[in-house]
Amino acid sequence: MAKSETHSFHAPRSHGFVRVAAATPVVHVADPAANAEEHERLIRQAGAQGADMLVFPELSLSAYAIDDLHMQAALLEEVERRIARLAEVADEAGVIAVIGAPIRNGDALFNCAVVLGGGEVLGVVPKSYLPNYREYYEKRWFAPAASRSEDAVVLNGASVDFAPGLIFEATNRPGFVFAVEICEDFWAPQPPSTRAALAGARILCNLSASNIVIGKADERALLCASQSARTLSAYVFAASGWGESTTDLAWDGQATIHELGARLAEGERFALHSHLTIADVDVDRIGLDRLRNGTFADCARIEGEAATVVPFEAGEGPTGALIRPLDRFPFVPDDAARLDQDCFEAFNIQVQGLMRRMTATGSKTLVIGVSGGLDSTQALLVACRAFDRLEQPRTGILAFTMPGFATSDGTKSNAWALMKALGVTGAEIDIRPAAEQMLRDIGHAFADGQPVHDITFENVQAGLRTDYLFRLANQNHGFVLGTGDLSELALGWCTYGVGDHMSHYNVNGGVAKTLIQHLIRWVAERGLVGEAAVPTLHAILATEISPELVPAGADGAIQSTQSIVGPYALNDFFLFYISRFGLKPSKVAYLAHQAWGDAATGSWPVGLPQGERVAYDLPTIKAWLRKFLIRFFQTSQFKRSAVPNGPKVVTGGSLSPRGDWRAPSDSSARVWLDELDAHTPG
């Protein structure tokens, strides 16, 4: 691959990111010249940091809290002169700058957002809703957008669009489409940004001079998050800070950037210096979310209105490292409080799903295979909690450990210790005699003493275990509780039909492997199934993931799942971005490299063992991603087309054909492999 192509891969812009910045300048009251100097410094700083666009607070050139001084001709003329200079600065910096200014149009004055780019004013957006209550009296000075007599205004000798709802669209950067509203517009029942989003804007900007009182910062953040979630957009909010007049009000300079409901960045409040809050917005992902969200498209058809589109040419865009939060484990947040909340919800979703199935069937018994591994442990914990909440004795849980040719003493002893500690009805069935008989019946070489450990050898064991469980369920008037997880379904890492693929109900089918270990740790730490099981749960967490179907080699090394299918940490990362958002493989590789390229940077989930805090280089990521794409798109869909019932647990995380994922069993992975190879170095 050519050097320029390699460089392009590592540039965020190549993967649909737009770098946005919210500016918090020190304010100089009624001093446009001083304010313009602050603007110029921040615009140049934003350009140096690779920002594509920069949003200033409301009336940032004049200051907001200057009351009747807004009506002074000298001040208004100075504001207009400074706009011309700032347009040149923005062009030199390669940044689209959105500044706040009082602008005259006809015989009225408007509170406006002035959009600068390419050395000129691209358009002017007047404020739609003027507050005239409590501490605000804007109608004393300003006219609302609806009262304008003209849809154009002359600035710097050029006539430009002057209207609310203008859509600014980059001609050279797909998806870089934004719109602007101003402070109170945001608090209206129908914000202008809603219609702008329906008209195609993917980034919504708010220039605000909202004053601060106790609790208001939370309210503004909530509005930003909810608006970005409802409109499937990014929302950039910039409020006035230090330097505004405090005659009657105070200002905190709140700046936030949200995307699809999630906060990407938050600036320092009550700072005494000018600064920027920067994040890379994924406009490509926003577009894909809108593409798959039929409600958004229907609403745009019904509620949308024609909008004036202002074209512009964006700069080259950001290079270097991505600036946005990026969890290494998309299913396991690295924030301790959020992880606790996720575990609480996931566990209770699993428990209540099982409780409902038990009450619907009238079952008093469950049959479950317990291997001493992560998945069966989690399913057993769920079963115990469900029985407890239904006030049924745990002895109704019939747990079986079924050692085969490669079962280790460690996992077998853990299985027994767990069953005893939890007080379930435990039993053991050695499947080796039955497996040997089946291998003899089908003429397998292992029956003749040859060390042939092929897929038939493995699946004979997996199938027998499930066969026993189903017959035991018949015999005991119960049903089989499945243990296979979401990650295994994605990879097809299960034995189809009469194997670990099948059960009567599967509580783990919507839970990723990377989350299961944290769920077990969470249950243990809270003693939700009793203290006696805690030591065994920690021992299980420390055990290597293995199907234990092939005997250890001469070197004593056991069969390792992750050496065959790849690290679950990467596979879950791939699964999240491909199934949830439909991202191109090259972009998934880019994100994975940003998240996993350096173990020393970024945060890790609480409780993750030190030995799992590793790094993966790009060639390694690409190699495992290729294998994932083949398994996910080409070889394993037929297994997902016939999965048992089980509750969806994570957003976009169901692979059931009755839920989030429907796909043909006969598809090819070629288009995804070709895209990966064409656009990913290494």
Side-chain angles (χ1 to χ4, degrees), residues 167-449:
I167 305 295
F168 299 87
E169 181 171 6
T171 56
N172 59 334
R173 297 273 297 280
F176 186 0
V177 188
F178 71 92
V180 182
E181 62 187 358
I182 303 172
C183 202
E184 184 74 7
D185 293 346
F186 190 31
W187 271 266
Q190 178 69 22
S193 59
T194 299
R195 296 198 183 280
L198 295 176
R202 298 185 186 182
I203 302 172
L204 309 175
C205 308
N206 188 308
L207 295 76
S208 177
S210 173
N211 71 296
I212 187 62
V213 293
I214 293 173
K216 195 172 185 180
D218 290 340
E219 177 188 356
R220 292 186 297 218
L222 177 64
L223 286 171
C224 292
S226 62
Q227 186 68 347
S228 70
R230 180 179 295 109
T231 60
L232 299 181
S233 68
Y235 202 92
V236 185
F237 179 87
S240 296
W242 171 253
E244 273 285 8
S245 172
T246 56
T247 301
D248 291 302
L249 302 173
W251 320 86
D252 67 334
Q254 186 173 11
T256 61
I257 302 170
H258 286 78
E259 177 186 300
L260 300 175
R263 187 179 66 202
L264 299 184
E266 182 175 26
E268 179 185 355
R269 296 172 57 214
F270 298 106
L272 302 182
H273 58 280
S274 296
H275 60 279
L276 300 174
T277 302
I278 299 179
D280 288 329
V281 167
D282 193 344
V283 294
D284 175 56
R285 172 178 156 181
I286 290 170
L288 288 170
D289 241 33
R290 290 180 177 182
L291 185 69
R292 62 170 38 88
N293 188 307
T295 300
F296 185 91
D298 289 343
C299 189
R301 258 192 317 274
I302 296 169
E303 304 289 347
E305 298 177 352
T308 299
V309 176
V310 180
F312 67 94
E313 185 170 337
E316 289 188 357
T319 59
L322 193 65
I323 303 177
R324 63 183 276 127
L326 185 59
D327 287 334
R328 288 180 170 92
F329 297 90
F331 298 111
V332 185
D334 51 39
D335 175 78
R338 189 175 140 214
L339 177 58
D340 177 70
Q341 178 69 15
D342 284 7
C343 287
F344 166 79
E345 292 186 340
F347 189 63
N348 281 285
I349 289 169
Q350 291 181 281
V351 170
Q352 290 217 350
L354 179 56
M355 289 170 62
R356 183 67 187 96
R357 181 51 54 91
M358 290 176 64
T359 58
T361 60
S363 299
K364 302 297 182 183
T365 58
L366 292 181
V367 175
I368 180 173
V370 180
S371 68
L374 293 175
D375 293 344
S376 64
T377 296
Q378 175 62 15
L380 184 56
L381 296 178
V382 170
C384 288
R385 186 64 172 168
F387 269 65
D388 292 349
R389 294 198 66 187
L390 290 171
E391 299 181 343
Q392 293 182 197
R394 292 184 186 177
T395 51
I397 301 172
L398 310 182
F400 294 86
T401 182
M402 292 177 282
F405 297 118
T407 301
S408 67
D409 291 339
T411 55
K412 180 180 173 180
S413 62
N414 280 341
W416 266 114
L418 184 63
M419 293 187 292
K420 290 176 180 177
L422 293 174
V424 303
T425 301
E428 181 175 318
I429 297 175
D430 188 341
I431 67 166
R432 286 173 293 185
E436 288 169 349
Q437 181 63 50
M438 181 177 286
L439 290 167
R440 278 194 298 271
D441 290 343
I442 66 175
H444 192 274
F446 182 81
D448 295 328

Side-chain angles (χ1 to χ4, degrees), residues 321-322 326-328 334 592-605 613-615:
L322 193 65
L326 185 59
D327 287 334
R328 288 180 170 92
D334 51 39
H593 189 235
Q594 290 289 316
W596 286 95
D598 184 355
T601 61
S603 301
W604 294 90
R613 304 185 181 201
V614 298

Side-chain angles (χ1 to χ4, degrees), residues 153-177:
V153 65
V154 176
L155 285 177
N156 303 335
S159 178
V160 298
D161 289 310
F162 181 89
L166 294 178
I167 305 295
F168 299 87
E169 181 171 6
T171 56
N172 59 334
R173 297 273 297 280
F176 186 0
V177 188

Side-chain angles (χ1 to χ4, degrees), residues 59 62-64 66-72 76 102 109 141-142:
L59 295 171
S62 60
Y64 177 84
I66 63 174
D67 299 336
D68 289 352
L69 300 187
H70 284 301
M71 311 302 291
Q72 291 291 311
L76 296 176
L109 183 65
W141 311 293
F142 300 110

